[in-house]
Amino acid sequence: MTTTVPAQEVQVTEPLPDSGIPGRRSRRRPRPVEAEDRHILSAADWRRPRIRITTNVLHVILLVLLVLVGLFPLLWLFKSGITPTQDTLTNPLALFPHGIAWDNVVKAWNDVHIGDFFFNTIAMAAGEWAVQLIVATTAGFALSVLRPKYGRYLAGLVLATLFVPAVVLLVPLYLTILHPPLIGHSLINTFWAVWLPAGASAFNVLLVMRFFDSLPREIFEAARTDGAGTFRLFWSIVLPMSKPILGVVSVFAINAAWADFLWPNLVLADIHIQPLSVRLPQIQSSTDLGVYLAALSIATLIPVVIFLVFQRTFLRGGGLGGAVKG
């Protein structure tokens, strides 16, 4: 008679993944609680009505003070531009004690010819903006994307020009504009005398070059693999990815061109092509104060309005918009 002995079940204890010892359950360490951001006032303080109300009132007061400090000079200028001259001299802070003098604006536009000088400023600023943008993007593309063997030395030379004072270059630059090479005639009293020197901006070149350094190199390699040449890589790949830095350079270029006085005063002696920054100081002594303040108001209001209208166009832009296919 054969007796069948049942097989004994053997329990095998497998090591848990969190522990190297068989049969021992590893203890899970509790996850560290993320520390709250430390501020002057804690969350418990913010729950107190007195502290919360006092802090909010202080914030409102500080905001109002900052707005007044920043906007008061502009508001006073605009107010004085439409205030009679006698009122501005006797009580400059009064709010239209004897009415509004709209004639100041009319005289500033017609008699002083602010409109002509305004269009001269637009032409000068547009040319400087275009030249600076072309030079900065092409030079930054060559030094950052193409990366020639001597690129580091060129970047070092461009950086070294930032340490040279602009006053030192004033006389050589004027002589170059007076007798430009390869052209044969002077560029004085032409907008080219202002446009061309504006392109030699080492700051813009380095700024754009650093931005191009941050762009992903994989996109450039993929474009070259697909057969894109140098111009196609620059125009269709790099520029669409560079909308933010192009906006920054545009704002810097337009603001600098609008406020530039010394160089246009030297090379634009003809009254018919002078910008507002040059012409307004010249007419101060021979113009009524109210009319002059109205002219200053027009010259100040126009760039403010242009910036408010186009600020999103200048500063907005997707970093990879137009370069990567969805």
Side-chain angles (χ1 to χ4, degrees), residues 263-286:
W263 183 247
N265 189 32
L266 291 177
V267 298
L268 300 179
D270 189 1
I271 297 178
H272 298 89
I273 61 174
Q274 287 180 346
L276 289 170
S277 60
V278 175
R279 190 57 185 165
L280 287 178
Q282 296 177 359
I283 65 175
Q284 180 179 4
S285 59
S286 59

Side-chain angles (χ1 to χ4, degrees), residues 214-295:
S214 64
L215 297 179
R217 298 289 161 178
E218 294 79 5
I219 298 179
F220 303 154
E221 296 176 359
R224 290 192 180 98
T225 303
D226 293 339
T230 302
F231 179 78
R232 184 63 180 275
L233 179 64
F234 172 74
W235 185 260
S236 301
I237 305 298
V238 176
L239 286 186
M241 299 171 62
S242 307
K243 292 179 181 179
I245 196 62
L246 296 182
V248 173
V249 174
S250 299
V251 172
F252 287 163
I254 294 175
N255 288 339
W258 202 274
D260 193 9
F261 168 76
L262 180 59
W263 183 247
N265 189 32
L266 291 177
V267 298
L268 300 179
D270 189 1
I271 297 178
H272 298 89
I273 61 174
Q274 287 180 346
L276 289 170
S277 60
V278 175
R279 190 57 185 165
L280 287 178
Q282 296 177 359
I283 65 175
Q284 180 179 4
S285 59
S286 59
T287 307
D288 182 72
L289 179 60
V291 178
Y292 182 71
L293 291 177

Side-chain angles (χ1 to χ4, degrees), residues 13-28:
T13 305
E14 297 181 357
L16 296 176
D18 295 335
S19 175
I21 303 176
R24 178 177 296 180
R25 185 181 297 274
S26 61
R27 298 179 179 178
R28 295 183 179 180

Side-chain angles (χ1 to χ4, degrees), residues 109 113-127 191 195 258 268 271-277 279 298-299 302 306:
W109 190 267
H113 302 288
I114 290 299
D116 298 336
F117 303 129
F118 164 70
F119 289 112
N120 292 339
T121 309
I122 289 293
M124 187 184 72
F191 285 125
W195 293 344
W258 202 274
L268 300 179
I271 297 178
H272 298 89
I273 61 174
Q274 287 180 346
L276 289 170
S277 60
R279 190 57 185 165
I298 296 174
I302 291 174
I306 291 177

